[in-house]
Each structure stands twice: as C-alpha cells, then as structure tokens.
Amino acid sequence: MSTSLAVLFVFCCSLISLFAFRKLAKKVGLVDKPNERKHHVGQIPLIGGISVYFSLMITLFITFPITDSLLLYVACSTILIVLGALDDRYDLSFKSRLIVQAGISLAMILIGYKSLHYLGFMFSDNALIIPTYISYIVTIFAVIGAINAFNMVDGIDGLLGGLSSVTFSALGVMFYLSSNMQLALFCLLLVVALLPYIMLNLGIPFGRRFKVFMGDAGSMFIGFTVIWLLIEASQEVNEVVIRPVTALWFIALPLMDMVCIMIRRIKKGQSPFKPDREHLHHICQRLGMSSRVSLFSICFMSALMAIIGIWSEINEINESVMFFAFLLVFCVYFYVINHIWRITAFMHKHFSFTLPTQH
C-alpha cells in the first residue's frame, strides 16, 4: 500500500469506527458521566482511544512487514487497551493498573530487548551507559511514567490529541531526517488516526451531538506508544535518531505537569495518583481562559519545546547544555505553577488588569 493510500485508509477507518463504536459504547455503559471533577453535559462515549488503536492496527498489518517487534508492540498495546476499557467501565484501582503497566515494561525488556540504558553525553564527555539491572528499573519507571503523564493531561477537549500529535510529529520529523521511513510513516499514521478523534472531541464539524472522549484506554495506549517510539529513537547506540536528552523536550509539558502535580499531592500527604483539578489546563481555565484558548496555549508551548528539541538535534547542540536548559525550564515551570496566584496578584497590583476569581 502506498503512503498516500495508507494515510487515507487510516483516516477513514478511524472516522468510521468512531461512529460505529459510539453506539456500542452506549449499549455496554462505556461512557463518561458528569461528577464533581467532570463538568461536561450528558454521557459521553469513551471510545476515542479504542478507535485510534483499531484503525492503526489494521493499517499496520496491511502496510508494514510482520516482525517480532511489531507483534510485541501490538500485544502490549492490546493488553493496555483492554485494561483501559475495563478501567473506564469499572473504575479499577490504580494498583492493579500499575501492576499491568509494570508487566508490559518487563515484556518490552525481556522479550523485545528494549530498555533505557543509554543516556548519551548529558553529564560528561563520556557516554553514560546504565548497568543492565538498573536499566530495567529505569525502564519500568519510564514506561509507567509516560503512560500516566499522557493519562493525566487528558482534561479538556482536544488536549491529549493535540499534545500527542506534537510528540508524534516531532518524532516523525526526526525519523524522516534520519531516513528511517518506516517509523516516520508510523508516526504519520498515528497523527492521522488521531485527527477524526480530535474533530469529534472538539465538535468539528459534526457538532456536540457526536462528541467522544479518549478514555483511559486511549491515554494509556498513546503514552505507551510514545515511550516505545522514544526508546526506538534514542537507545540504539550505533543508530541514534535522537539523543536521549531530546526525548525530554519532545514530551516536556506532559512530563513537567505530571511531576509537578505529584510533588504537590505528596506534599499535601495525598496519593500521587489521586485525581484533582490542579493540572495546567485547570489552572489556565481558572485564570479566565476559555477551553479553546487553554488548548491552543498549552499545545503552542509544547510545540515550541519540541521545535527546540529538533533544532538542538539538527545543530548538534551540546547535550549537557540542552539537559541543564531543560532543568531550568522545569524549575521555572514548577515555580510559576506553584506561585501562580501570587504572581497573578502581583501583576494585578502593578499592571492593573482584572484578576480572575480563584475557585
């Protein structure tokens, strides 16, 4: 199948499956109901991720050669989709989710030989290679972290689709520039498969009547796919597509938001996995931004950091410089998010603009 035909096929398959799965979701109760944290109207089908997964898997098997690596990716993705769908329907405990996610990580390591063991030249003039068993632990935390980082940002319409599209697009560019056309096409297919979901999630062009949500099934699948591709791109020492430090820039905003929110919860004596309304998108809305303005602002910041990552790769900027630059950006982000209302009050006092009400 040609590239253009594969792109058209995955788009049509994703769009058609969204409408088909909507009806099925309502029959089996796979819907999101409003509560104290969720302020949408009506019961919304949680099938966005299932549709993206379904359309992508069909396209991959038609377009790509069947390899052990592809089969492992499909198997792990399928387990996560089933786990996420069960969580969406029955609200599983976070401990059971973490156990399965850790098992997926071990499958990547022990069956697929995919692990985070190469950290490049972030800390010295010598490449840092993590010892084997320590790399296993690092990989497990990285996989769980990526899955939950993208799960946590799924809070306003279009945000998960937008942020993941930024990451997949940045990876696609780097795979293309390194002449890895197969993985570049994979990234392109992912972005195209996400487009119908983003359209229906935002009510474009069919209106709110056909609205769908991604669901935990989709957010876990996307987070897993992100870390899978980052490992593919950064851990083959002899064929590095991106340096490990660049991976941080490609997932900067979801990563920083997750770390900040977990630190705040732990400081309050709460579980780091306890849901709340303290994420970046919630803060943007409490500052008076509309949902669409919040979406655009956050995706713009994410795209800017991804572009910095691409620029640093193309220009071969020193890895230590890029690592400490990332830490500086994170520190600024952490300070601003934790002192946002003081900063807003200061600006209100000295620059005379209307201060939104903090809820």
Side-chain angles (χ1 to χ4, degrees):
M1 185 184 293
S2 67
T3 298
S4 57
L5 191 57
V7 167
L8 178 61
F9 178 82
V10 77
F11 179 85
C12 293
C13 188
S14 180
L15 184 61
I16 293 169
S17 63
L18 279 169
F19 285 97
F21 291 154
R22 284 185 81 257
K23 294 183 178 181
L24 180 61
K26 291 183 177 181
K27 289 182 179 179
V28 301
L30 193 58
V31 294
D32 200 20
K33 302 174 183 178
N35 57 32
E36 66 277 3
R37 291 190 302 107
K38 302 173 183 179
H39 299 161
H40 57 268
V41 178
Q43 298 183 1
I44 310 298
L46 293 163
I47 47 81
I50 297 174
S51 172
V52 172
Y53 159 84
F54 175 78
S55 56
L56 183 67
M57 292 303 125
I58 293 177
T59 310
L60 288 180
F61 280 115
I62 295 174
T63 308
F64 283 50
I66 307 302
T67 63
D68 290 342
S69 181
L70 176 61
L71 291 175
L72 177 62
Y73 168 74
V74 171
C76 292
S77 298
T78 302
I79 292 170
L80 287 174
I81 281 288
V82 172
L83 173 70
L86 290 173
D87 186 37
D88 287 328
R89 180 63 180 85
Y90 299 107
D91 194 20
L92 305 178
S93 70
F94 77 88
K95 291 181 180 179
S96 62
R97 298 197 305 268
L98 289 181
I99 290 171
V100 176
Q101 291 166 12
I104 292 294
S105 309
L106 288 173
M108 287 179 62
I109 296 166
L110 301 177
I111 300 175
Y113 305 104
K114 299 180 186 300
S115 64
L116 284 166
H117 56 271
Y118 174 67
L119 297 184
F121 299 86
M122 281 191 280
F123 306 106
S124 69
D125 293 333
N126 299 314
L128 178 59
I129 308 294
I130 304 176
T132 301
Y133 292 108
I134 296 178
S135 75
Y136 291 178
I137 298 172
V138 172
T139 303
I140 291 171
F141 275 100
V143 172
I144 292 174
I147 289 172
N148 287 281
F150 280 87
N151 178 268
M152 286 181 176
V153 298
D154 188 19
I156 59 174
D157 292 347
L159 187 56
L160 177 57
L163 290 177
S164 57
S165 294
V166 167
T167 299
F168 292 138
S169 297
L171 280 164
V173 168
M174 295 312 303
F175 283 127
Y176 178 81
L177 293 177
S178 66
S179 299
N180 190 331
M181 296 307 173
Q182 191 172 76
L183 286 179
L185 175 59
F186 183 30
C187 292
L188 175 61
L189 293 175
L190 276 162
V191 174
V192 174
L194 282 163
L195 286 177
Y197 159 72
I198 295 172
M199 291 164 55
L200 265 65
N201 187 230
L202 293 173
I204 303 169
F206 305 104
R208 297 285 175 175
R209 177 186 171 190
F210 297 101
K211 188 181 184 70
V212 295
F213 285 162
M214 182 65 76
D216 285 344
S219 60
M220 286 197 283
F221 165 63
I222 286 174
F224 171 72
T225 303
V226 166
I227 193 64
W228 179 283
L229 288 172
L230 289 176
I231 289 174
E232 287 276 8
S234 65
Q235 297 303 302
E236 295 295 334
V237 179
N238 296 324
E239 299 180 27
V240 172
V241 174
I242 61 171
R243 299 168 300 177
V245 68
T246 304
L248 297 175
W249 290 92
F250 284 2
I251 59 169
L253 220 52
L255 179 62
M256 292 190 295
D257 186 56
M258 179 188 70
V259 173
C260 287
I261 199 73
M262 284 188 163
I263 291 174
R264 287 204 299 271
R265 289 170 184 170
I266 291 171
K267 286 173 67 176
K268 292 178 181 179
Q270 300 172 345
S271 165
F273 298 99
K274 179 184 178 182
D276 58 28
R277 294 183 59 82
E278 297 294 330
H279 293 281
L280 176 60
H281 50 271
H282 294 132
I283 292 173
C284 287
Q285 291 180 305
R286 285 159 58 189
L287 284 169
M289 297 183 188
S290 67
S291 178
R292 293 292 173 89
V293 172
S294 300
L295 169 64
F296 175 81
S297 301
I298 295 171
C299 287
F300 176 79
M301 288 188 289
S302 180
L304 181 60
M305 285 185 271
I307 289 171
I308 291 173
I310 294 172
W311 170 81
S312 73
E313 283 290 335
I314 293 174
N315 292 279
E316 299 181 350
I317 305 301
N318 183 277
E319 292 178 57
S320 295
V321 171
M322 293 309 299
F323 177 67
F324 286 106
F326 179 83
L327 289 182
L328 177 61
V329 171
F330 173 77
C331 290
V332 171
Y333 178 89
F334 184 81
Y335 179 83
V336 170
I337 290 298
N338 282 279
H339 298 84
I340 186 65
W341 303 113
R342 292 182 184 176
I343 294 171
T344 307
F346 175 83
M347 294 179 68
H348 170 67
K349 179 178 179 180
H350 291 85
F351 299 100
S352 301
F353 70 89
T354 302
L355 179 65
T357 302
Q358 179 184 358
H359 300 296

